[in-house]
Amino acid sequence: MIGGGSRQPKAAAMLRRFPELLRTTSTATLLSRRLPQPHRHLLPALPADLLSAPRLASHFYATQSAPVAAARPPRAPRPLRTVGSLLRLNDLRDNPGATKQKTRKGRGIGSGKGKTAGRGHKGQKARGTARFGFEGGQTPLRRRLPRRGFKNRFSLTFQPCGLGKIAKLINAGKIDSSELITMKTLKDTCGIGKQIKDGIRLMGRGAEEIKWPIHLEVSRATARAKAAVEAAGGTVRLVYYNKLGFRALLKPEWFAKKGRLIPKAARPPPKQRDKVDSIGRLPAPTKPFPFTTEELEFSAKREAAKVIIA
């Protein structure tokens, strides 16, 4: 070959002298020179000490810092600077991964959320939003499903209170049995919960523990509870309070704070007149009110009607 014969012996001789150059010449001087790249088929077998050395570049380029960088240990995280056992304010930082950058939409195709910003092409979802439950004009699900049942507007919710609990409060000294026991008395002594929606229903649980006469004013009472109290020489009066009346009964200080007068007790509606004995008294009474002849007759008729219905 013309022009190739003179280069081959020169490259082969340089490769034969390469181990000697490594031993005699300094690493910085050798690695800073540019060595010609010989033909692949003329490369002899390199010694083992050269194979274990760092790999050179395509033109036998290398830098002096290559072996140094390979032997350098991984960089440890910067320790927190503290003053004694206290942490400096300028060293406070979030844990790695605790904060996440907000996605910026419409900032070029390189961000992955550019142009259409993840909304796609055209359509209602790309241009805006529809109201909740809108299905594009067809009959929505809430209208396709049939209705079931109803909500009674005249339903009443009473909180139960057993005679056994009242007996325990009397034995503990929290309630005076000689005084009138009202719904306010039961609430103040934790005989019932805080939420009294439409009143208290007196239950017959623990009726055998009532062995002394007590006088009660509640919204409703079961036949067993009323019979147990009356057998011990006490009385049970069913009274009516509306929402405002219950507030005046349980929290009279609210009206004083607002600078208002305590309202008059309201009369029961027509559907509840035959279920109560009288209108509730305001403010909360402390002495039992004796039954009149009319109230006793009306109470007897009500109990007789319950027996007939049962």
Side-chain angles (χ1 to χ4, degrees):
M1 293 178 62
I2 301 175
S6 59
R7 296 178 184 175
Q8 294 177 4
K10 189 181 294 184
M14 187 171 294
L15 284 176
R16 286 194 298 270
R17 292 183 58 195
F18 196 75
E20 185 180 355
L21 288 173
L22 287 177
R23 289 191 296 269
T24 57
T25 313
S26 63
T27 306
T29 307
L30 177 64
L31 296 178
S32 62
R33 296 177 181 177
R34 179 176 179 180
L35 302 179
Q37 184 178 9
H39 295 282
R40 296 180 182 272
H41 65 278
L42 297 176
L43 285 176
L46 294 178
D49 55 349
L50 285 180
L51 292 175
S52 61
R55 184 177 180 182
L56 303 179
S58 60
H59 288 286
F60 295 93
Y61 277 119
T63 58
Q64 188 177 0
S65 60
V68 180
R72 182 181 299 170
R75 186 174 181 181
R78 182 166 61 91
L80 297 177
R81 295 177 296 174
T82 59
V83 181
S85 61
L86 301 178
L87 184 66
R88 293 185 179 181
L89 293 178
N90 58 332
D91 286 332
L92 293 177
R93 65 181 70 89
D94 292 327
N95 295 329
T99 58
K100 186 177 179 181
Q101 234 177 357
K102 181 183 176 181
T103 303
R104 300 174 71 238
K105 297 182 179 180
R107 293 299 182 270
I109 58 176
S111 64
K113 293 291 183 180
K115 193 182 175 183
T116 55
R119 287 179 171 234
H121 291 278
K122 300 183 182 179
Q124 187 178 24
K125 294 183 179 179
R127 297 188 175 100
T129 57
R131 68 178 184 272
F132 180 77
F134 181 68
E135 299 182 11
Q138 69 179 15
T139 305
L141 180 65
R142 60 182 176 83
R143 292 179 58 190
R144 292 199 300 267
L145 298 179
R147 295 183 181 181
R148 292 184 63 87
F150 72 103
K151 182 178 180 181
N152 188 4
R153 297 186 303 168
F154 304 101
S155 62
L156 301 174
T157 304
F158 299 103
Q159 195 165 4
C161 181
L163 289 174
K165 184 177 290 186
I166 296 175
K168 288 181 181 180
L169 294 174
I170 293 174
N171 294 331
K174 296 182 179 181
I175 296 179
D176 187 5
S177 60
S178 61
E179 298 288 338
L180 177 65
I181 301 175
T182 62
M183 290 182 277
K184 178 175 173 56
T185 307
L186 295 175
K187 181 179 179 299
D188 294 341
T189 56
C190 299
I192 55 174
K194 295 182 180 179
Q195 298 295 333
I196 303 178
K197 294 185 178 180
D198 296 308
I200 296 175
R201 184 189 297 276
L202 187 65
M203 309 296 290
R205 295 191 296 264
E208 63 279 358
E209 300 180 17
I210 300 298
K211 300 177 182 179
W212 53 88
I214 57 175
H215 304 279
L216 296 159
E217 279 193 4
V218 291
S219 301
R220 297 290 188 273
T222 61
R224 180 188 173 191
K226 189 172 182 180
V229 173
E230 292 177 351
T235 58
V236 177
R237 179 184 286 271
L238 307 182
V239 293
Y240 170 79
Y241 291 99
N242 60 357
K243 297 292 184 181
L244 187 63
F246 268 117
R247 175 175 288 186
L249 175 70
L250 303 176
K251 294 183 179 180
E253 64 276 2
W254 184 86
F255 293 88
K257 182 180 178 181
K258 296 291 184 179
R260 301 180 184 178
L261 297 175
I262 294 180
K264 292 179 64 177
R267 291 179 296 179
K271 289 189 176 183
Q272 297 191 41
R273 286 177 187 172
D274 58 341
K275 298 180 181 180
V276 296
D277 294 324
S278 62
I279 301 172
R281 292 177 287 172
L282 293 175
T286 57
K287 297 296 180 181
F289 189 73
F291 284 91
T292 62
T293 307
E294 295 179 358
E295 290 176 349
L296 292 174
E297 292 178 356
F298 184 76
S299 178
K301 291 180 181 179
R302 183 175 65 241
E303 296 299 331
K306 288 183 179 179
V307 173
I308 294 173
I309 292 174

